[in-house]
Amino acid sequence: MVHPMKDILTVTLNPALDISTTTDRVIAGPKLRCDPIVVDPGGGGINVARVAAEMGAHARAFVALAGPSGMRLEATLSELGIPLVRMKAPDETRESFAVHDRETGAQYRFVLPGPQWSEEDVAESLQAIAASVPKGGIVVLSGSQPPGVSVHYATELCRVLLPQEAEVIVDTSGAALEYLAAGTDPAPAVLRMDSEEAEQLAGRPLVTRRESAEFAAELVARGAAKRVILARGADGSVMAGPDGLTQVSAAKVSVVSAVGAGDSFVGAFAYGLATGIGAPDALALGAAAASATVTTPGTQLCRHQMISELLPQCGASEID
């Protein structure tokens, strides 16, 4: 049976205009002469939409934008062909700045906080998202939240989307992740985190895949989400949920840059759910996409062909 492709809407409340350059050596004091800048759209949900669209999904990006940097970011997204659902941010869209040190190979990343949101801004965003999601759609909340946005935001988003019967995927961190991990109602369909975040929540090392998967199952039992995914870097990912405990491997590749790997995972996973292939196979797609992205320099993301080539190394299996 062929499933109709579900709509994917990614949510980026705190996007950034990513500016990167290179200089010979980063040292304090003298003026550092830099190469011409490269400008990219930044923000977890934006990257997720780019990867999902690259794979053939009906993907749109909800973004809060304002000011000259917001206009520049919108223009870069337009060039990428990503359809936007645009909300006016309460103040100028932030920038982030990365400088590559040619001598040492190190990268220095400066990330600004973004504009302060009010309760009215939060309410407006929830209403705008709910109005943009078709019945049975997939919504991905990814990336950092702006100052002023409550740790309850993901739960509030799940609540306003109940009439649409949408599947909500959340990839967050910090206090927002801690809040979700304690169990919420309504809970998202999927909650994803990396091993470091999971170990902080667990208060113990998660050395093996089984340990990670069992902690993911603990979170599901608490009501953190219907499915919980723990990313283990080069050791792949594990998932707990209605399908039991599932594991996938990362493909054996040479790592160039890990930037965007997590977002690529989520974009490919969301695409898999949108096509109806089932969560375990979607997990394998996510692992292949993350593996493909780490082979690309800087802020570049994976291509569909790369994912297809690496997928045979990432097959899903049960954890006995």
Side-chain angles (χ1 to χ4, degrees):
M1 177 180 173
V2 177
H3 294 267
M5 178 81 76
K6 292 183 179 180
D7 179 89
I8 297 173
L9 179 70
T10 69
V11 177
T12 310
L13 301 182
N14 202 17
L17 191 70
D18 283 346
I19 298 170
S20 57
T21 186
T22 300
T23 192
D24 290 335
R25 185 80 173 92
V26 178
I27 52 173
K31 294 179 180 178
L32 306 177
R33 304 296 176 183
C34 298
D35 291 356
I37 64 168
V38 176
V39 179
D40 289 299
I46 289 171
N47 290 337
V48 171
R50 288 172 64 185
V51 171
E54 166 67 21
M55 296 188 73
H58 303 150
R60 297 172 297 145
F62 177 92
V63 285
L65 301 169
S69 59
M71 292 174 63
R72 287 183 71 189
L73 194 149
E74 186 171 8
T76 63
L77 286 170
S78 178
E79 289 170 11
L80 292 168
I82 304 293
L84 293 188
V85 180
R86 192 184 191 282
M87 171 186 159
K88 190 176 189 305
D91 205 344
E92 173 110 20
T93 299
R94 65 183 177 147
E95 293 182 351
S96 67
F97 192 64
V99 181
H100 179 80
D101 184 317
R102 211 183 327 262
E103 184 176 312
T104 65
Q107 186 182 53
Y108 297 82
R109 301 171 73 187
F110 304 89
V111 180
L112 301 178
Q116 181 79 26
W117 281 47
S118 67
E119 289 183 13
E120 290 75 17
D121 297 320
V122 170
E124 181 187 343
S125 73
L126 291 168
Q127 291 167 6
I129 293 164
S132 304
V133 178
K135 195 87 168 177
I138 294 172
V139 177
V140 181
L141 177 63
S142 178
S144 62
Q145 295 177 341
V149 173
S150 161
V151 295
H152 311 148
Y153 188 87
T155 306
E156 293 168 13
L157 181 62
C158 291
R159 186 170 290 116
V160 300
L161 292 173
L162 284 173
Q164 279 92 330
E165 298 175 6
E167 288 183 271
V168 179
I169 301 171
V170 180
D171 184 6
T172 190
S173 59
L177 175 59
E178 289 178 25
Y179 175 79
L180 286 171
T184 62
D185 184 26
V190 181
L191 177 62
R192 180 190 176 274
M193 67 195 75
D194 64 30
S195 275
E196 184 179 342
E197 292 164 340
E199 288 181 340
Q200 288 175 353
L201 291 172
R204 63 182 188 270
L206 301 171
V207 179
T208 65
R209 285 184 182 178
R210 169 165 285 284
E211 287 173 339
S212 291
E214 287 175 347
F215 179 63
E218 283 181 39
L219 294 176
V220 171
R222 279 186 214 168
K226 297 179 182 69
R227 288 188 175 89
V228 172
I229 298 170
L230 266 60
R232 292 178 51 87
D235 191 38
S237 291
V238 299
M239 177 175 68
D243 322 282
L245 304 183
T246 306
Q247 60 187 350
V248 293
S249 297
K252 291 179 173 57
V253 295
S254 297
V255 176
V256 176
S257 168
V259 175
D263 297 331
S264 298
F265 182 104
V266 175
F269 179 82
Y271 166 79
L273 292 188
T275 62
I277 63 172
D281 288 335
L283 194 73
L285 272 180
S291 299
T293 289
V294 301
T295 68
T296 64
T299 54
Q300 290 182 34
L301 300 173
C302 53
R303 307 294 297 185
H304 195 177
Q305 183 179 345
M306 299 161 65
I307 297 169
S308 299
E309 289 170 354
L310 295 177
L311 184 58
Q313 297 184 49
C314 305
S317 61
E318 291 183 21
I319 301 175
D320 298 325

